Amino acid sequence: MINNDSNLPTLMYSRIVGRRSDRLTGPRQRSWAVLRLPVVIGVAFFFVFPYLWLVGSSFRPREEIFRYVNPISWRTFVPLAPTLDNFRHLFFERNFGRALANSLVIALVTVAITLFIGSMIAFALARIKFPGREVVFVLILATILIPFETIMVSVFLTIQRLGLFDTYAALFLPWVTDAFIIFLLRQHFRDIPDELQDAAIVDGCSLFRVYWNVMLPNIRPALVSAAFVKFVFSWDAFLWPLIVTRDPDLTVVQLAISRLFTDQNVLWELIFAGAFIGTVPLIILFLFLQRYYVEGVVTSGFN
Amino acid sequence: MRSKLRYLFVFVLAFSFALAACQTADEEPAPAEEAETAAPVEEAAPVEEAEPVTLRFMFPEGAGRGPGFESAIAAYQEMNPHVTIEMESVPFREYGGLLPVQFAGDSPADVALVDSSAVISYAYNGAIVPLDGIFEQSDVDDFLPSLVAQATYEGSMYAGPFFISTQGVFYNVDMFAAAGVEPPTTVEDAWTWPEFVENVSKVAESAQSDEGDVWGLVFLSNPPGSISWSLPVIRSNGQPGSNTFMALSPDGTEVSGYLDTPEAMEAYQFWQDLYVEHGLAPQGDVPDAFGNGQAATMISFSAWGSVLNNVFPDLNWDIMPIPYLETHVVHASHFMPTVAAKSDNQDEAKAFVQFLSSIEGFMAYYDVTSDMPARVSLLNELEEFQVRPLSIFKDELLTVAYAAPGGPGGAIYAEIVGDLMLDIAQGADIEAAVDAAVTELDAQLAQFG
Amino acid sequence: MDVRRPSAHAIEHYRSALLLSLPALVGLAIFWYWPTIQAVILGFQDYNLMSGSQAWTGLENYRTAATDPLLGLTFLNTVIYFLMEVPLQMALALALALLVRRGPAWLRTVILVPTVTSMVVVSVIWGLMYHPNSGLINSLLGGVGVPPQPFLTSSQQAMPSIALLMIWKNVGFSMLFFLAGLVSIPRNYYEAAATDGANSRQLFRYITLPLLRGTVVFLLITNTVTAFKVFTPIFLITEGGPINATRVVVLYIFENAFRFNKMGYAAAISVLLALFLLVISVYSLRASRAR
């Protein structure tokens, strides 16, 4: 990311400034344009700095991990004797690949079901008038008010009594009804102009078709945000998998990482490597979804 | 593009339902049901006629613990072919949090390791059953007294002593040599804390370099949050049997008059001075400081030496006994196997615990994974504990090791006192902090009266 | 639609609404309402989690709560955390969303990196950065002549330190939602206003903010609820210390449920917390509609 090309700042600068719309060119805009690059770099540094430390550490041998933390120097970030042993150990001796695959499948399944059933009810709450819908909405919202720690034991008992203990289903079923997501999608459905729905109904569309063909495409950025957040949430889940699974074949990434804290020794080099691998799929996912944030895509439907 | 995204969505959805369906189908036979009708099995029972039984055995993950228990289980299954034991190895850091939840569930593991400080609390709450009749008096006499004390509630033992862990001071031999400081080599010659501070300050000072600070003393985490590390300092300022030394009323319901005696207050001040006045120990964590040569000494547990040898093979270290103020005291504790009250196979589970606590049981484990045994006879017999450095731990165990204060409220006690010691190390007003902790703790412990 | 008897058309609507809502409602009933009802019942009991024994104690747990000084303290700490975390996080998220909307694409990913990094690792790295004796932040402060600060080890600074860490970790999510709201604003609104001579501040004030209202309400409510339920970072970093300065409500609930074995009392506190949040949420929703 950092190289010796002295032209790089200027190149980046012109690219960023060039993207600004021409019509905004008052004195305020010009001073902002000058400030913009330092702000962008400052912001980027603030957010990425601890991560660079994490990435560097995942290529270090064990004895090097904390040796150069203090005083801070380039050696704090750059491994002196870089090695792939940590990754090798994770994949070949700790079956980390299985954990990654499990987490991936569970997260995809969770996201798909959550968005499907969440967007259906959100659509009903936002766009269909029926008696008591405000009450239903508040009741749904109320589920996010109770701390999970309070109902955890009870949900655990439910899972055991449904015969789902130590199964894949136990890992995602309780999480696919998500009031946060329902709330988010409802807010976005509400913002869609009424004419769109009315026109579709006049055309003879059933409500389900209105939902599926007209409404869903129009809240795509919200769906993408929801998908990303839900994916991250599922990926980070750790307390719940710990409670409902024992089978090593059902291990998820965060559980596999937490196994690296043993009572004798904290295997920091593997924790950093595991945490690094654990972020890669999420970053790739986001890069893939990022294009849905480009302006214009969304409004083209009814402009 | 729009429709592609939706197809993906539908595909994943369909896939997930299929997955859920297969899973439930797979898992149909619940393991516990097969064994429901098993008769209580005596050791002598003819093997052929016994109904097959499956026991679930849960323990916190630890270096070598899996292979060690595998070996012990293999030995047990060979003698009892009708018993199958499934291991459930849980991440160590989460183990204490998971235990109450799994005991609250419908089918906890039949046998679970429980930390010695929590055994009485689980016994009091009815989560585990007494193990009456599975130990001979000769066994009980052979177990380390500190473990027997932590396993005994209302006259019954609720856990089988298996292994043991205690503490020592690991020190950097090169740094000590460079500073010309001679550490004590036997438990009788152990330094007092003032001697320790004086000598180690000298060592840390002579070891300072441009490469960063060198601390005099670090713990496994800094400042230590667990009373295993911090409380012995306070207890050691009382005479044996005094309130300061006991640190909790004998019935386990009161700490005022125990944690706030003049001797205790003096010791809290000493503990704070270690951090603030002398600056000997860091107020925030410095991971790997000892291994990296950034600390002259480290107080850690008995198995730490093997970790150091693995991770920092170049480090030249040795062990000296834990220092003290007036009375020499170290804490000794470890996980112990217990039998769940909700187990459907309590007799088989008890028989397995009996085996683990026997000499053969420990030796089957020890063949694969070195750990200190909970039996005095084995401590005196096994080669590696007769020679330094490990002999220091053995001598501490046999002469100055005590159980941490406990009883039914042991977990609450450990939590609140652990926080108190942490706050003091970080510079809290001692008088006010002790007062608040004693008030909160007395209110909490009253329920066990 | 002010007819007394619903028309066939309306009934058709109700039927669709029910069908569309059913899957979510079934899931909520099994995994949220049923456990929540049980928690409410537990609030009136003395319940031993491990032996399963339960005894009715009426309002005893609520009476205890009314006079428990620690509970008051934990509520106060939670409110302090909320005040430090939520307003700053939302303002920063909006600023970042405006910045990255036209900024380089990689910046979005960079801001999301903390949200995807495991909390355990984050707490270790920030613990080292906040180190009172040798941390990075103190080195930086030393560079500009500020004496070393205690951060997490001081009862005054621990909560702001955790709030800052959590803003850093979570602001990416909020930014993402603002971004989703921003890109949904039709571009021609801006173009029309700009033709009428509006400057950028007016565009923001009269177009961007009003059209983001749904997003703002959503984020305000969810961030508030999340802040009041904060647990994991505090559990991992300070466990409520130093001297109870970061002991928040959910940590206290957790301690009562799983350490002090007072599940009934833990449930009663949860009910109080939920009622408190319910009032805030309904009030915010009402306020947002009234405007």
Side-chain angles (χ1 to χ4, degrees):
Chain A
M1 220 173 281
I2 295 159
N3 63 33
N4 297 328
D5 186 349
S6 59
N7 286 328
L8 189 68
T10 2
L11 283 175
M12 249 159 55
Y13 183 81
S14 60
R15 210 169 79 207
I16 296 159
V17 176
R19 279 192 167 193
R20 298 274 305 162
S21 167
D22 315 2
R23 63 177 189 277
L24 306 172
T25 45
R28 277 171 46 82
Q29 275 72 36
R30 245 176 282 133
S31 68
W32 170 230
V34 173
L35 274 176
R36 191 168 177 115
L37 181 67
V39 168
V40 165
I41 290 181
V43 166
F45 185 75
F46 177 67
F47 284 101
V48 86
F49 157 80
Y51 188 72
L52 292 182
W53 197 75
L54 159 76
V55 174
S57 296
S58 62
F59 293 97
R60 287 179 190 272
R62 177 66 175 93
E63 66 274 11
E64 221 189 78
I65 294 263
F66 292 107
R67 180 163 285 174
Y68 304 108
V69 169
N70 178 49
I72 291 263
S73 69
W74 62 273
R75 294 188 299 182
T76 313
F77 298 91
V78 183
L80 300 190
T83 170
L84 290 174
D85 281 354
N86 302 332
F87 301 101
R88 226 170 274 144
H89 184 95
L90 281 177
F91 282 103
F92 295 122
E93 278 164 58
R94 289 184 171 263
N95 211 358
F96 207 71
R98 173 82 191 207
L100 278 173
N102 282 339
S103 282
L104 199 65
V105 169
I106 290 159
L108 284 176
V109 168
T110 309
V111 167
I113 304 182
T114 308
L115 288 194
F116 185 60
I117 65 181
S119 62
M120 285 199 302
I121 191 169
F123 169 75
L125 289 170
R127 316 255 15 153
I128 305 177
K129 290 204 175 75
F130 60 91
R133 72 171 178 169
E134 294 297 306
V135 178
V136 172
F137 177 60
V138 169
L139 275 178
I140 289 171
L141 207 54
T143 60
I144 68 177
L145 305 179
I146 285 266
F148 180 68
E149 287 76 13
T150 312
I151 59 169
M152 186 169 74
V153 170
S154 172
V155 180
F156 171 57
L157 282 171
T158 305
I159 287 288
Q160 277 194 336
R161 285 168 191 170
L162 291 174
L164 296 176
F165 182 71
D166 224 2
T167 64
Y168 277 109
L171 290 170
F172 64 82
L173 268 189
W175 304 106
V176 296
T177 41
D178 185 324
F180 278 105
I181 305 282
I182 296 173
F183 184 18
L184 172 78
L185 300 181
R186 169 190 178 264
Q187 297 296 83
H188 280 263
F189 277 129
R190 275 158 61 103
D191 289 345
I192 298 177
D194 289 338
E195 305 89 68
L196 209 61
Q197 181 169 351
D198 299 341
I201 289 180
V202 169
D203 286 350
C205 284
S206 72
L207 275 176
F208 187 82
R209 290 201 56 115
V210 172
Y211 152 75
W212 188 253
N213 289 353
V214 182
M215 292 294 168
L216 266 193
N218 272 306
I219 59 158
R220 195 173 321 133
L223 285 175
V224 169
S225 309
F228 183 73
V229 172
K230 192 70 192 179
F231 195 95
V232 172
F233 176 85
S234 169
W235 190 265
D236 277 348
F238 147 72
L239 184 63
W240 184 247
L242 173 80
I243 291 169
V244 294
T245 64
R246 295 284 185 284
D247 185 347
D249 283 347
L250 294 181
T251 290
V252 294
V253 168
Q254 303 304 332
L255 215 49
I257 292 178
S258 91
R259 281 182 190 278
L260 304 167
F261 292 83
T262 75
D263 66 339
Q264 306 206 333
N265 189 8
V266 180
L267 305 167
W268 286 115
E269 76 283 24
L270 301 181
I271 288 169
F272 283 116
F276 173 46
I277 303 172
T279 57
V280 172
L282 298 167
I283 291 175
I284 293 175
L285 175 80
F286 183 71
L287 289 174
F288 169 74
L289 293 178
Q290 185 161 269
R291 62 204 174 101
Y292 291 101
Y293 284 100
V294 178
E295 251 160 306
V297 170
V298 64
T299 49
S300 61
F302 55 93
N303 250 0
Chain B
M1 219 192 303
R2 193 182 302 167
S3 53
K4 233 195 291 175
L5 198 66
R6 254 181 298 156
Y7 281 129
L8 184 73
F9 187 82
V10 170
F11 170 74
V12 174
L13 201 69
F15 174 66
S16 62
F17 282 124
L19 191 81
C22 314
Q23 263 299 319
T24 36
D26 276 358
E27 295 294 319
E28 216 48 62
E33 274 165 33
E34 297 164 20
E36 210 166 79
T37 50
V41 183
E42 288 298 306
E43 256 180 274
V47 161
E48 265 72 22
E49 292 168 25
E51 289 278 324
V53 172
T54 302
L55 293 178
R56 287 161 56 216
F57 172 43
M58 192 171 94
F59 59 88
E61 199 147 301
R65 201 167 284 158
F69 281 126
E70 221 165 276
S71 155
I73 287 169
Y76 184 70
Q77 287 177 344
E78 198 169 317
M79 292 185 291
N80 303 275
H82 67 293
V83 179
T84 309
I85 296 172
E86 289 176 354
M87 296 201 295
E88 294 181 354
S89 151
V90 171
F92 163 76
R93 214 168 50 117
E94 324 308 331
Y95 195 73
L98 178 65
L99 268 181
V101 179
Q102 77 112 22
F103 279 135
D106 288 337
S107 50
D110 302 278
V111 179
L113 290 194
V114 172
D115 189 76
S116 52
S117 66
V119 169
I120 292 178
S121 155
Y122 284 117
Y124 171 87
N125 285 314
I128 54 178
V129 294
L131 305 178
D132 291 325
I134 74 168
F135 300 121
E136 304 283 334
Q137 189 56 41
S138 58
D139 290 319
V140 178
D141 292 342
D142 195 23
F143 294 141
L144 282 163
S146 64
L147 281 187
V148 175
Q150 292 178 86
T152 306
Y153 174 64
E154 292 190 335
S156 296
M157 278 182 79
Y158 279 75
F162 178 69
F163 40 23
I164 186 76
S165 178
T166 186
Q167 301 129 37
V169 182
F170 292 75
Y171 64 91
N172 187 311
V173 173
D174 298 335
M175 283 187 200
F176 272 65
V181 173
E182 285 279 335
T185 53
T186 63
V187 174
E188 298 90 76
D189 296 334
W191 278 337
T192 62
W193 272 109
E195 287 171 333
F196 180 89
V197 169
E198 192 195 323
N199 284 303
V200 172
S201 298
K202 226 183 290 172
V203 176
E205 219 160 282
S206 92
Q208 291 300 337
S209 73
D210 305 337
E211 293 279 292
D213 298 325
V214 173
W215 296 100
L217 168 67
V218 293
F219 292 85
L220 211 52
S221 67
N222 294 285
S226 153
I227 59 166
S228 316
W229 313 106
S230 50
L231 191 59
V233 178
I234 311 305
R235 297 180 72 189
S236 80
N237 207 31
Q239 298 304 320
S242 70
N243 284 3
T244 310
F245 183 84
M246 293 196 294
L248 174 68
S249 68
D251 62 357
T253 62
E254 216 178 348
V255 291
S256 68
Y258 295 85
L259 279 180
D260 53 4
T261 61
E263 294 80 23
M265 299 308 283
E266 191 182 79
Y268 295 126
Q269 187 61 55
F270 174 80
W271 177 248
Q272 189 167 63
D273 288 349
L274 268 184
Y275 287 86
V276 181
E277 172 94 8
H278 307 304
L280 205 62
Q283 287 181 307
D285 208 9
V286 190
D288 285 352
F290 184 68
N292 284 327
Q294 294 160 353
T297 68
M298 173 170 187
I299 291 188
S300 193
F301 53 87
S302 31
W304 187 244
S306 61
V307 176
L308 287 175
N309 286 341
N310 280 333
V311 181
F312 301 102
D314 300 334
L315 188 76
N316 192 2
W317 58 270
D318 203 341
I319 297 169
M320 65 171 130
I322 293 277
Y324 59 96
L325 288 164
E326 287 292 324
T327 304
H328 203 175
V329 48
V330 301
H331 280 175
S333 61
H334 215 314
F335 290 99
M336 294 195 266
T338 61
V339 174
K342 289 179 184 164
S343 164
D344 295 327
N345 306 296
Q346 288 187 5
D347 293 313
E348 290 79 3
K350 284 180 189 173
F352 178 56
V353 172
Q354 180 184 37
F355 170 77
L356 283 179
S357 290
S358 68
I359 291 178
E360 305 81 66
F362 183 80
M363 288 312 290
Y365 177 93
Y366 183 79
D367 284 343
V368 181
T369 302
S370 173
D371 233 318
M372 298 192 85
R375 284 175 176 268
V376 175
S377 58
L378 284 175
L379 274 174
N380 279 324
E381 226 166 79
L382 295 171
E383 200 73 33
E384 63 172 332
F385 305 116
Q386 315 312 315
V387 290
R388 278 181 47 78
L390 292 183
S391 62
I392 296 261
F393 292 121
K394 183 199 78 174
D395 292 342
E396 278 185 346
L397 280 173
L398 298 181
T399 55
V400 296
Y402 296 85
I412 304 175
Y413 180 95
E415 160 110 359
I416 294 175
V417 179
D419 285 350
L420 170 67
M421 296 301 288
L422 194 64
D423 288 345
I424 290 176
Q426 292 180 334
D429 180 275
I430 295 177
E431 196 101 4
V434 171
D435 204 49
V438 166
T439 309
E440 187 186 353
L441 201 41
D442 272 348
Q444 285 285 356
L445 294 179
Q447 61 176 304
F448 304 108
Chain C
M1 286 241 231
D2 40 296
V3 278
R4 293 235 153 205
R5 199 180 306 139
S7 63
H9 182 66
I11 288 175
E12 176 65 29
H13 269 48
Y14 302 162
R15 212 173 56 91
S16 308
L18 185 68
L19 281 177
L20 287 164
S21 308
L22 207 57
L25 291 179
V26 168
L28 286 169
I30 297 176
F31 293 110
W32 293 96
Y33 293 128
W34 174 236
T36 303
I37 291 167
Q38 285 183 312
V40 172
I41 294 173
L42 283 185
F44 300 104
Q45 292 180 335
D46 178 6
Y47 177 65
N48 182 334
L49 190 64
M50 273 154 315
S51 66
S53 78
Q54 45 205 124
W56 290 95
T57 54
L59 288 172
E60 187 57 36
N61 288 324
Y62 290 93
R63 265 196 292 273
T64 310
T67 56
D68 182 352
L70 267 175
L71 180 62
L73 178 71
T74 57
F75 252 100
L76 184 67
N77 284 337
T78 313
V79 170
I80 291 172
Y81 172 79
F82 158 75
L83 290 176
M84 287 190 287
E85 211 261 355
V86 174
L88 197 55
Q89 205 225 85
M90 300 238 335
L92 192 61
L94 181 56
L96 288 172
L98 292 169
L99 177 73
V100 305
R101 181 163 60 136
R102 298 280 174 79
W106 52 264
L107 194 59
R108 295 172 198 178
T109 314
V110 161
I111 293 169
L112 281 170
V113 159
T115 65
V116 302
T117 310
S118 116
M119 194 60 222
V120 171
V121 174
V122 165
S123 63
V124 172
I125 295 176
W126 276 76
L128 291 170
M129 297 197 338
Y130 275 141
H131 200 286
N133 308 105
S134 58
L136 166 77
I137 302 183
N138 270 329
S139 314
L140 293 177
L141 289 178
V144 292
V146 179
Q149 299 297 312
F151 297 119
L152 295 167
T153 63
S154 130
S155 51
Q156 281 89 44
Q157 294 182 9
M159 196 61 110
S161 304
I162 290 187
L164 177 67
L165 190 165
M166 290 314 288
I167 291 172
W168 173 83
K169 177 123 171 66
N170 286 340
V171 73
F173 283 140
S174 300
M175 180 200 74
L176 208 57
F177 291 124
F178 273 128
L179 212 51
L182 282 176
V183 301
S184 307
I185 299 175
R187 176 173 290 193
N188 50 5
Y189 286 21
Y190 287 108
E191 280 156 7
T195 327
D196 293 346
N199 65 28
S200 62
R201 186 198 293 207
Q202 288 168 325
L203 291 180
F204 180 73
R205 172 73 184 80
Y206 294 106
I207 297 182
T208 313
L209 270 190
L211 285 171
L212 280 181
R213 203 203 287 158
T215 309
V216 171
V217 171
F218 166 75
L219 282 177
L220 194 63
I221 292 180
T222 54
N223 279 332
T224 301
V225 170
T226 310
F228 272 93
K229 293 200 300 178
V230 62
F231 171 69
T232 313
I234 284 173
F235 186 67
L236 284 175
I237 298 168
T238 58
E239 279 212 60
I243 330 177
N244 289 337
T246 58
R247 206 156 166 187
V248 289
V249 175
V250 178
L251 180 65
Y252 195 52
I253 291 172
F254 178 86
E255 288 174 327
N256 272 296
F258 298 110
R259 296 212 168 132
F260 306 159
N261 202 15
K262 290 183 178 167
M263 196 70 205
Y265 187 44
I269 304 175
S270 309
V271 169
L272 292 175
L273 176 67
L275 288 177
F276 174 76
L277 290 173
L278 187 67
V279 170
I280 294 187
S281 308
V282 170
Y283 178 79
S284 314
L285 285 172
R286 286 266 160 79
S288 80
R289 213 172 317 138
R291 261 202 279 156

